[in-house]
Amino acid sequence: MITTACNAATMPVIGPYLEELERWLRETGFGASVLMMLSNGGVISAADARRVPIRLVESGPAAGALAGVWYARRLGEDRLFCFDLGGTTAKSCLIEDYRPELTNEFEVARVYRFKKGSGYPCSVPSVDLVEIGAGGGSLARIDDLGLLKVGPDSAGADPGPVSYGRGGTVPATTDADLVMGLLDPAYFLGGEMPLDLDRAREAFQPLAEGLETSPDEAAVGVYEVINQNMAAAARMHAVERGIDLRGVSLIAFGGAGPVHACGVAALLEAPRVIFPVNASVLSAFGTLVSPVRIDLARSMVRTLGDGVEADRDALLDEMREEGRRILSSAGADAAGVRFRYGLDARYAGQGNEITVWVGEGESWPLTVAETAEEFHRAYERVYGLRIPDVAVEVVTWRVAAWSDAPPFEVPALPAGSGTPTAYGTRRARFRRGAEPLDVPVYRRAELGAGDRFAGPALVEERETTSVVPDGWTCEVAADGSIIATREA
């Protein structure tokens, strides 16, 4: 009911907007289809999107996850942890078997941002993201117990961190990165927006006095606290789903993601960090490599047993037909549409279900007994036990219909010398109690394929800086990605 109400409330806003967008594109000579990104990581036509705008609500972060899928396939990482850190929020999700994890419920319009349970719960397929109030604008403070806290309050873009010089007075994460030497005050946004280092350091003075330390130490403390916050949230989200993140490589994007990625990766025991090209706008890249896809669900309560097949197959026929129609309207070849099947099930008498995906094909791929066994396995993975003598009850049947995205390749990066030359050095600190080091600084545009260097190092580009602490070694891949590997 809530999902339907939220969809109805947004239709009068999104519908005219998309119609105006399509009209403007036609008038400017654009003759191709207009596709809209969905929260589940797929795209559909604008006409279908107008009817179900609630499906668009998490589309931006979902696009980042699809970019992660593209890199996972390219790098041969069947499990990859996506880490997106921007100005106000940090989002992360897990790619498994080259697919993002999906959830069928999320909240919108939370009264208390990042507070689970304070918004409207919507039942729409969406990439399973963990989101916390951590970003470049997250504000630092000392709480009533005398402990250092960072976020979820944010300076936003206006006034922004103190170093922006727009009136901010409370130090933020970006100010900490600057004071630590991780950012070049003269090269922020390629030099278009110089940062005020002195003002940022002064802003840490009250915080330092409260912590009985120096402003520089307080800045490192902010850096470490926000890394701990992000790692703890990701770890807890994974544990709730029966997933162990240890040993999973991490891909960092968003404007602040590459600055904090190695710190978060070390806490998660990740062996590798991938710094992709144009990391700050990787979600936009994700829209180019997203498949045409729609996730459909129908409620039909049935106990897994004899006689369920006929009702199930009739329902799946209707859903496959709807999937083909929606994808065809988005330009996909109906003959090339593929289907994946799932169900929301529970043990009879329970009040909550888990979603189990059972396979692909033109029909349900498993027998009834095999379907029940898949549920038992999934239930045991999440809860640590199975209840084999209780009947399995299916509440919802699911069909994911998709057509593969067209191949997309990035130009190969010219080969480098193997040992790149730093354009300069900068005094930087990486942990509390450590002395600042003279760290080599590389320009990303000057790196070539095959170049190798070891941390500590800083790699600058216009929109972000990749921070590589000591204990990490880097190699530049053929597509320009920097692959950082943590020493054992």
Side-chain angles (χ1 to χ4, degrees):
M1 187 269 297
I2 293 174
T3 306
T4 302
C6 289
N7 191 67
T10 51
M11 287 176 70
V13 179
I14 299 297
Y17 173 81
L18 293 181
E19 290 175 358
E20 176 65 18
L21 175 63
E22 290 182 289
R23 182 192 63 76
W24 176 79
L25 288 171
R26 286 194 301 269
E27 292 176 353
T28 56
F30 182 80
S33 301
V34 177
L35 304 178
M36 301 300 298
M37 190 81 197
L38 300 179
S39 300
N40 69 345
V43 293
I44 60 173
S45 70
D48 283 310
R50 286 198 295 269
R51 289 191 287 271
V52 284
I54 192 63
R55 289 180 176 267
L56 309 177
V57 70
E58 285 286 289
S59 56
L66 266 292
V69 170
W70 187 86
Y71 274 96
R73 292 187 181 279
R74 189 177 188 86
L75 298 170
E77 299 273 3
D78 61 340
R79 302 183 81 211
L80 187 62
F81 185 69
C82 296
F83 173 63
D84 179 3
L85 180 61
T88 58
T89 59
K91 300 181 178 68
S92 58
C93 76
L94 179 65
I95 306 297
E96 282 199 290
D97 296 325
Y98 308 112
R99 291 190 180 101
E101 290 287 312
L102 296 180
T103 182
N104 300 311
E105 292 185 1
F106 60 90
E107 289 185 17
V108 299
R110 285 176 172 168
V111 176
Y112 304 103
R113 197 174 186 189
F114 312 114
K115 184 70 172 178
K116 188 180 294 186
S118 67
Y120 297 122
C122 291
S123 181
V124 173
S126 175
V127 171
D128 191 12
L129 297 160
V130 55
E131 178 180 278
I132 67 169
S138 295
L139 300 175
R141 68 188 189 283
I142 299 174
D143 68 8
D144 294 339
L145 298 177
L147 302 176
L148 177 62
K149 300 292 183 181
V150 186
D153 295 340
S154 175
D158 186 15
V162 175
S163 55
Y164 282 15
R166 296 177 176 172
T169 58
V170 180
T173 303
T174 297
D175 299 317
D177 298 339
L178 182 64
V179 171
M180 291 172 64
L182 306 182
L183 303 180
D184 184 348
Y187 195 67
F188 197 72
L189 286 182
E192 294 181 16
M193 184 179 172
L195 300 180
D196 193 329
L197 175 58
D198 292 336
R199 185 174 293 180
R201 182 170 278 114
E202 291 173 3
F204 276 101
Q205 187 61 45
L207 201 66
E209 292 174 358
L211 297 171
E212 298 182 356
T213 186
S214 67
D216 287 358
E217 283 285 291
V220 182
V222 169
Y223 181 86
E224 293 181 351
V225 166
I226 200 166
N227 288 350
Q228 289 281 0
N229 289 347
M230 293 182 288
R235 195 182 296 113
M236 180 59 67
H237 187 73
V239 167
E240 288 174 350
R241 285 150 180 78
I243 297 169
D244 187 354
L245 290 177
R246 290 176 296 181
V248 180
S249 296
L250 182 149
I251 182 170
F253 51 100
V259 181
H260 292 260
C262 285
V264 173
L267 294 169
L268 294 176
E269 300 182 43
R272 296 206 300 172
V273 171
I274 296 98
F275 300 100
V277 176
N278 299 320
S280 59
V281 290
L282 201 71
S283 291
F285 172 76
T287 63
L288 300 177
V289 295
S290 299
V292 181
R293 171 176 175 146
I294 189 71
D295 282 270
L296 303 172
R298 296 288 186 275
S299 293
M300 184 177 72
V301 180
R302 293 289 187 275
T303 299
L304 283 182
D306 294 338
V308 72
E309 295 98 329
D311 290 343
R312 178 200 66 198
D313 291 344
L315 186 64
L316 295 182
D317 284 342
E318 296 177 8
M319 297 167 73
R320 281 192 293 267
E321 183 61 29
E322 183 178 356
R324 284 196 177 94
R325 180 196 63 75
I326 293 174
L327 269 59
S328 296
S329 68
D333 180 5
V337 174
R338 299 160 61 188
F339 300 99
R340 184 176 180 223
Y341 303 94
L343 48 80
D344 294 356
R346 62 195 179 193
Y347 287 114
Q350 292 183 333
N352 295 284
E353 305 83 43
I354 61 173
T355 300
V356 182
W357 293 96
V358 299
E360 303 174 7
E362 283 296 316
S363 61
W364 191 267
L366 303 180
T367 65
V368 172
E370 291 170 337
T371 302
E373 177 60 24
E374 286 297 311
F375 169 79
H376 290 312
R377 289 175 184 167
Y379 191 92
E380 187 174 23
R381 179 174 65 85
V382 175
Y383 295 108
L385 78 162
R386 58 172 67 193
I387 315 175
D389 55 339
V390 177
V392 177
E393 186 177 64
V394 179
V395 176
T396 303
W397 305 84
R398 299 187 177 275
V399 173
W402 81 94
S403 178
D404 289 336
F408 184 92
E409 293 295 329
V410 297
L413 192 70
S417 63
T419 306
T421 301
Y423 89 92
T425 62
R426 187 159 68 244
R427 299 282 284 178
R429 302 178 62 181
F430 293 89
R431 58 182 61 88
R432 284 176 297 153
E435 292 297 320
L437 304 172
D438 290 321
V439 179
V441 182
Y442 301 92
R443 291 279 195 238
R444 182 149 193 172
E446 297 173 0
L447 297 176
D451 281 346
R452 296 177 61 87
F453 56 92
L458 302 171
V459 183
E460 293 183 340
E461 51 191 301
R462 183 182 181 276
E463 293 87 3
T464 190
T465 298
S466 299
V467 175
V468 184
D470 59 304
W472 294 78
T473 58
C474 297
E475 182 173 1
V476 181
D479 65 359
S481 299
I482 298 174
I483 313 297
T485 303
R486 186 161 59 98
E487 298 174 2

